[in-house]
Amino acid sequence: MIPETDIPQPTGLPVQSQPGKPPIIRTPRLVGQASARAWVVEHTEAIRAELLRHGHLLIRGLPIERQEHFADLRDVLVQRRAAYKEKATPRSDYGADVYSSTDLPPVQPIHLHNENSYTLDFPGLLLFCCLDAPDTGGATTVADVRQVRAALPPDLVDRFRATGWLLTRNYHAQAGLPWRTAFATDDREGVAEYCERNLIGHFWQGDEGLRTVQRRSALIRHPRTHEEVWFNHAAFWSRWSLDKDILDVMEMTFGTDGLPFDTAFGDGSALSAQEVDILNGAYDSATRRESWQPGDLMLVDNILSAHGRDAYRGSRKILVAMGEPVALRDCAPTVSPAPGSIT
């Protein structure tokens, strides 16, 4: 039996909502880190309740000037920090579990996705903070994945609900991340043990190559609100989400089965370009964006919302921290996680 949804009522915080933008809370004028911390402490319960209602929330007006300020407010809002596992993108580590949002080139947009949707536990909460806003572009895009699921054709959703989704990764030194970086170790036996423990099929290809395949649920339920959400990287890492020129180069370099990332239905059936276009169209219809301003703090419920990044110009420094880890088993997955077959 599925529990009824448990969505908090409005808290009285002044949340501004505009079409195409994330909900915004503007603080009163605050001076210094002590006043910022006091305001966040006073309103933490209401902030977390509004986050559950909206799935993402931008707080504007906090005088956050350094990564230490951000880490301090993170420790007010987050009860338990979450690890970044099975790494997929380069990040700078600033210490105290604070990272750059990503170090991918500015010209490269990042498609919407839920952080670590392919692991057996994942962050329930993401915090982003702007220290340096770009000249143009660079918004951290967000989308309510309840809306994404509702925008998809029911037959496509039902197929994913029944089969899950399959992720294949090939770890190369030339593209993506090498396995030593992704798993944060030089120990091949340790990687093999991790894969076995986390239900990931794996195959070593010489000294440097590794191929992994894992099946995961494409739809889960939020452990608090009990709403079913679209939670996966099926479109984000599909070959059909790559620009054609990039895909051609990748296939020429690594072969059609050697792409750094690719996805399929959980039973191994291929995703068509048309199906991936439908998935990306559903994300586009739910996307919200707001240009960063220094001091902005964005909270993202990682189960209720996907996030991404627009291309940009100029200097950009966005920090990220992860917290409140959630186990997949507590989210009513529609299929059981399993290692995929290595072909």
Side-chain angles (χ1 to χ4, degrees), residues 23-295:
I24 299 176
I25 296 175
R26 299 180 186 273
T27 72
R29 186 173 183 272
L30 302 169
V31 178
Q33 178 65 10
S35 64
R37 193 179 204 279
W39 186 90
V40 172
V41 167
E42 180 182 356
H43 295 94
T44 292
E45 184 176 345
I47 290 169
R48 294 296 296 266
E50 293 291 349
L51 180 62
L52 269 183
R53 293 182 63 232
H54 298 284
H56 44 259
L57 199 60
L58 180 67
I59 302 176
R60 176 160 286 168
L62 294 169
I64 304 172
E65 298 178 350
R66 301 197 303 271
Q67 58 210 43
E68 293 87 353
H69 295 167
F70 172 58
D72 182 44
L73 297 183
R74 181 271 317 274
D75 289 341
V76 174
L77 291 163
V78 172
Q79 295 181 350
R80 183 182 173 198
R81 300 179 190 180
Y84 179 39
K85 300 187 295 185
E86 298 175 43
K87 298 173 184 176
T89 57
R91 299 178 187 267
S92 298
D93 186 344
Y94 296 117
D97 295 316
V98 173
Y99 303 90
S100 61
S101 57
T102 180
D103 293 333
L104 292 173
V107 297
Q108 182 177 338
I110 300 173
H111 293 286
L112 289 158
H113 61 285
N114 300 83
E115 196 68 36
N116 280 155
S117 74
Y118 46 92
T119 55
L120 296 185
D121 58 78
F122 34 78
L125 175 62
L126 308 176
L127 288 85
F128 297 88
C129 172
C130 176
L131 295 187
D132 191 2
D135 296 334
T136 60
T140 295
T141 52
V142 287
D144 187 324
V145 287
R146 294 167 289 195
Q147 297 176 16
V148 173
R149 184 192 63 79
L152 291 170
D155 59 337
L156 186 58
V157 173
D158 288 343
R159 186 171 180 187
F160 272 106
R161 185 181 288 112
T163 68
W165 69 291
L166 200 69
L167 170 62
T168 300
R169 294 183 66 175
N170 291 285
Y171 300 80
H172 304 292
Q174 306 94 329
L177 293 181
W179 63 264
R180 288 179 173 83
T181 303
F183 291 96
T185 182
D186 293 325
D187 182 7
R188 288 165 60 110
E189 291 185 2
V191 172
E193 290 173 0
Y194 177 92
C195 289
E196 291 173 3
R197 188 169 62 252
N198 287 274
L199 304 175
I200 303 171
H202 62 283
F203 175 72
W204 293 103
Q205 300 171 313
D207 292 334
E208 299 300 326
L210 173 66
R211 180 181 177 90
T212 62
V213 186
Q214 57 217 83
R215 185 186 73 182
R216 299 294 185 257
S217 184
L219 294 109
I220 62 174
R221 290 187 178 273
H222 193 282
R224 283 282 306 280
T225 72
H226 310 299
E227 297 162 290
E228 187 177 59
V229 301
W230 185 251
F231 185 83
N232 55 73
H233 277 62
F236 179 75
W237 276 336
S238 169
R239 66 178 61 226
W240 304 122
S241 289
L242 293 171
D243 290 338
K244 185 179 184 304
D245 291 344
I246 295 176
L247 177 59
D248 289 344
V249 170
M250 288 283 192
E251 290 185 333
M252 287 178 59
T253 304
F254 303 114
T256 56
D257 294 329
L259 299 180
F261 305 96
D262 204 6
T263 62
F265 289 104
D267 60 6
S269 302
L271 274 163
S272 70
Q274 181 182 14
E275 287 166 334
V276 174
D277 284 346
I278 291 171
L279 299 181
N280 283 321
Y283 281 115
D284 290 343
S285 68
T287 297
R288 298 179 178 184
R289 54 172 51 82
E290 168 69 3
S291 296
W292 282 112
Q293 295 182 15

